[in-house]
Amino acid sequence: MDFVRIFDTTLRDGEQSPGASLNVHEKVEIARQLERLGVDVIEAGFPISSPGDFNAVREVSRVVRDAVVCGLTRAVPKDIDVAVEALKDAVRPRIHTGLGVSDVHLQHKLRISREEAKRRGVEGVRYAKRFVEDIEYFLEDAGRADPDYLCEVVEAVIEAGATVINVPDTTGFATPDEFGALIRSIIERVPNIDRATVSVHCHDDLGMAVANALAGVRAGARQVECTINGIGERAGNTSLEEVVMGLKVRAAHYQLQTRIITQELYKTSRLVSNLTGILVQPNKAIIGANAFAHSSGIHQDGVLKERTTYEIIDPREVGIPESKILLTARSGRHALTHRLEQLGYTLDETQLDRVYGRFLQVADQKKMVYDEDLEVIVADETSSVRVTYELVQVQVTSGDRSIPTATVSLRGPDGAELTDSDHGTGPVDAIYRAINRIVQTENELIEFSIQAVTEGIDALAEVTIRIRHGHNIYTGRGSHSDICVASARAYLHALNRLIENRESTAPEVALDQV
Ligand code: KIV
Ligand code: ZN
């Protein structure tokens, strides 16, 4: 069977989801997991856009051994120079450069003629080719472009040295039959297309990204660009897990395979969700909490008699942990380490100390500790966000006859304990106001969500929040059996991220600023 390459852009297009900003350590952690998952290409960032993106591409290039590491650029020498520098330690570097092709992009965004756009594209590829052999060219907004002009550009950039042709449906406008026909016509009409791999990059504005990508594959594309959990600009990108499992479960139909180790899918999904703070909807195909839950009596009866009556995928195939082993305070450090290893975590001694300390607290409060509890404990205790302010204590009074009031103690940057109090419209508001009095960093809370990690009244609460500071959005997560403490932890996590990122004040460059 023929192979389809999986190009993961979680760290670039995925990170363009509002509030998904990741620090360099988090990006490296995700890149390592993407390698374990077996992706062929990791797009690690847009190096010229910010020092953070440059560092991420450089650090990912240093740790990834097997996959191609790719950096995005506009088709201009200064972007390409910066990307070449960021990719210099990569074993298999790729430059991903390109320009708009639709008339709406050429006339209103770039304000250049078709001829000029083609000339700039060709020049960009020729320039990049001086430094790197593997050049991918993106035809931005191909989904709404004139196919004749599109084919002209494809032929010219392949002639200039492009090895991969990326056909993005940037706005998620195409339907599967249209998009499949577009890919087929490029393959049939461009005379030198046999010298390049055709790639599809579909957005989900009409909920058709996965269908469009698979239609492109049916028509001859041999690379799919996608993200874990489908995160990305606006409504998101093609979901990696859906495309991969579509090709695997329906192999007889597609006659194609990928190199993805599907047993790593669930773990990768959890990692990306934990680090970006973007929760996975429960009914999400393949990795959602309900993807393998059978609720109606008739279905339960069927599955108990024969799993395949209502399940087309064995949950083990996507790495959903089979037995939910329970740990208790008496389980000890050895049992905890063993279970963490089984769940795929390798922690160093310091991390293990923190996780074990927290595990004992949780086990004391809720007696039974489930795998899901361990996942949030590990996420909380091994976060690589620099801790400028640490929660020491929080105390709240609230009720329908009293004014919600909170007193908070934090350990500040110089180790001193700082305490303050305030009141608010509710207990969380009071806590956040008290924290604000200490940290004094202006921001706006734009999203707050809370969910129970497991069932039962003693479940851990996991709070995810987003705060806005200027143009930037920061995510914070925190867990605890007390929802007020979990809320305080989440807020401090977001504030620490904001403080850490405040140093990189360089202006961001967008793709349209040519
Ligand atoms: O959606 C898009 O067109 C992109 C390109 C930059 C590849 O993300
Ligand atoms: Zn995109």
Side-chain angles (χ1 to χ4, degrees):
M1 268 201 261
D2 208 355
F3 275 96
V4 175
R5 289 187 208 149
I6 298 297
F7 174 116
D8 180 277
T9 182
T10 306
L11 299 178
R12 200 278 297 168
D13 210 319
E15 210 218 5
Q16 286 173 220
S17 313
S21 73
L22 298 160
N23 67 27
V24 171
H25 307 288
E26 291 166 331
K27 287 189 182 177
V28 168
E29 196 179 341
I30 291 176
R32 286 187 199 275
Q33 178 57 27
L34 290 173
E35 258 216 311
R36 282 192 282 273
L37 178 66
V39 305
D40 299 279
V41 187
I42 297 174
E43 184 163 56
F46 178 18
I48 202 164
S49 67
S50 69
D53 258 43
F54 178 88
N55 288 337
V57 176
R58 192 183 52 191
E59 295 309 315
V60 169
S61 298
R62 288 179 177 163
V63 300
V64 166
R65 283 354 285 145
D66 296 328
V68 170
V69 179
C70 176
L72 185 76
T73 81
R74 297 166 299 178
V76 289
K78 67 172 181 208
D79 281 33
I80 295 168
D81 289 339
V82 175
V84 169
E85 179 60 24
L87 288 165
K88 82 170 188 290
D89 294 327
V91 178
R92 300 170 66 197
R94 176 182 293 179
I95 300 264
H96 186 189
T97 193
L99 210 57
V101 277
S102 65
D103 286 334
V104 59
H105 274 227
L106 296 185
Q107 283 166 19
H108 301 290
K109 191 182 93 168
L110 301 166
R111 301 205 170 105
I112 55 176
S113 67
R114 287 182 175 189
E115 264 321 296
E116 174 62 9
K118 185 168 88 177
R119 192 194 63 74
R120 287 191 195 176
V122 166
E123 283 307 306
V125 173
R126 284 207 187 113
Y127 187 75
K129 199 77 179 176
R130 289 201 220 160
F131 311 100
V132 174
E133 179 45 41
D134 191 3
I135 310 294
E136 173 164 342
Y137 191 84
F138 69 81
L139 305 138
E140 197 181 8
D141 203 19
R144 294 189 298 168
D146 168 13
D148 292 337
Y149 173 64
L150 191 69
C151 288
E152 232 183 83
V153 177
V154 172
E155 184 179 350
V157 294
I158 294 177
E159 213 41 57
T163 43
V164 181
I165 295 296
N166 175 10
V167 187
D169 181 25
T170 305
T171 57
F173 180 72
T175 62
D177 45 354
E178 283 168 358
F179 196 68
L182 177 65
I183 299 297
R184 193 166 297 109
S185 86
I186 293 173
I187 292 174
E188 282 169 4
R189 291 170 53 188
V190 175
N192 54 3
I193 198 72
D194 56 319
R195 282 155 47 191
T197 302
V198 176
S199 182
V200 288
H201 176 115
C202 300
H203 279 269
D204 208 28
D205 300 65
L206 291 174
M208 294 196 273
V210 171
N212 285 346
L214 289 172
V217 164
R218 284 284 276 177
R222 286 295 174 267
Q223 177 178 281
V224 175
E225 312 204 354
C226 41
T227 60
I228 300 297
N229 302 336
I231 62 172
E233 191 76 43
R234 305 182 311 279
N237 213 292
T238 306
S239 145
L240 182 148
E241 53 282 354
E242 292 179 27
V243 164
V244 166
M245 289 313 288
L247 290 171
K248 186 170 182 183
V249 174
R250 302 303 311 276
H253 175 73
Y254 288 105
Q255 296 284 316
L256 290 164
Q257 33 179 321
T258 70
R259 291 186 186 80
I260 296 297
I261 298 160
T262 58
Q263 290 73 12
E264 292 288 325
L265 283 172
Y266 176 74
K267 190 168 167 235
T268 317
S269 160
R270 294 293 305 156
L271 178 70
V272 170
S273 172
N274 280 336
L275 294 183
T276 58
I278 299 180
L279 305 177
V280 174
Q281 75 201 56
N283 58 321
K284 169 84 173 60
I286 318 294
I287 37 77
N290 295 346
F292 297 95
H294 302 277
S295 126
S296 98
I298 296 175
H299 287 214
Q300 287 174 349
D301 179 53
V303 170
L304 288 173
K305 287 178 175 144
E306 166 53 45
R307 189 187 58 78
T308 55
T309 50
Y310 287 101
E311 257 180 21
I312 58 163
I313 302 170
D314 182 338
R316 284 171 298 189
E317 246 186 272
V318 296
I320 295 189
E322 206 185 339
S323 64
K324 310 232 164 197
I325 291 184
L326 302 179
L327 298 177
T328 67
R330 287 185 305 279
S331 300
R333 194 181 165 106
H334 181 72
L336 173 70
T337 316
H338 183 65
R339 187 61 191 151
L340 289 173
E341 273 166 16
Q342 282 181 329
L343 292 173
Y345 296 106
T346 22
L347 307 183
D348 61 34
E349 276 306 304
T350 325
Q351 289 174 325
L352 203 55
D353 284 346
R354 290 181 66 95
V355 168
Y356 184 55
R358 190 68 196 289
F359 161 76
L360 288 177
Q361 277 173 16
V362 172
D364 243 15
Q365 280 159 351
K366 70 187 291 273
K367 311 296 174 228
M368 296 293 190
V369 182
Y370 296 81
D371 290 346
E372 291 94 329
D373 296 320
L374 291 182
E375 272 178 20
V376 295
I377 293 173
V378 172
D380 260 15
E381 299 302 325
T382 62
S383 165
S384 55
V385 175
R386 198 179 62 216
V387 179
T388 310
Y389 289 94
E390 189 182 6
L391 184 66
V392 177
Q393 191 182 319
V394 54
Q395 205 180 322
V396 200
T397 51
S398 74
D400 60 355
R401 301 288 153 114
S402 63
I403 297 171
T405 311
T407 302
V408 173
S409 299
L410 307 181
R411 191 159 344 272
D414 52 7
E417 201 169 304
L418 309 154
T419 301
D420 218 321
S421 309
D422 209 336
H423 59 272
T425 52
V428 174
D429 187 35
I431 292 168
Y432 285 19
R433 283 170 186 270
I435 291 177
N436 286 345
R437 291 173 70 95
I438 302 172
V439 177
Q440 307 258 343
T441 297
E442 213 179 294
N443 71 83
E444 185 195 349
L445 178 70
I446 54 172
E447 209 179 302
F448 179 97
S449 73
I450 183 162
Q451 58 176 8
V453 173
T454 54
E455 288 168 12
I457 193 71
D458 60 354
L460 279 183
E462 190 178 25
V463 171
T464 306
I465 66 157
R466 284 183 214 290
I467 59 174
R468 185 183 290 125
H469 175 76
H471 293 300
N472 294 332
I473 295 173
Y474 300 93
T475 297
R477 281 186 39 262
S479 66
H480 199 273
S481 52
D482 182 318
I483 57 174
C484 291
V485 182
S487 306
R489 281 171 169 263
Y491 190 38
L492 284 173
H493 191 228
L495 283 174
N496 282 329
R497 204 186 272 280
L498 185 163
I499 294 165
E500 186 183 42
N501 280 13
R502 211 164 26 193
E503 286 128 43
S504 71
T505 47
E508 301 255 328
V509 176
L511 271 174
D512 52 355
Q513 297 167 337
V514 184

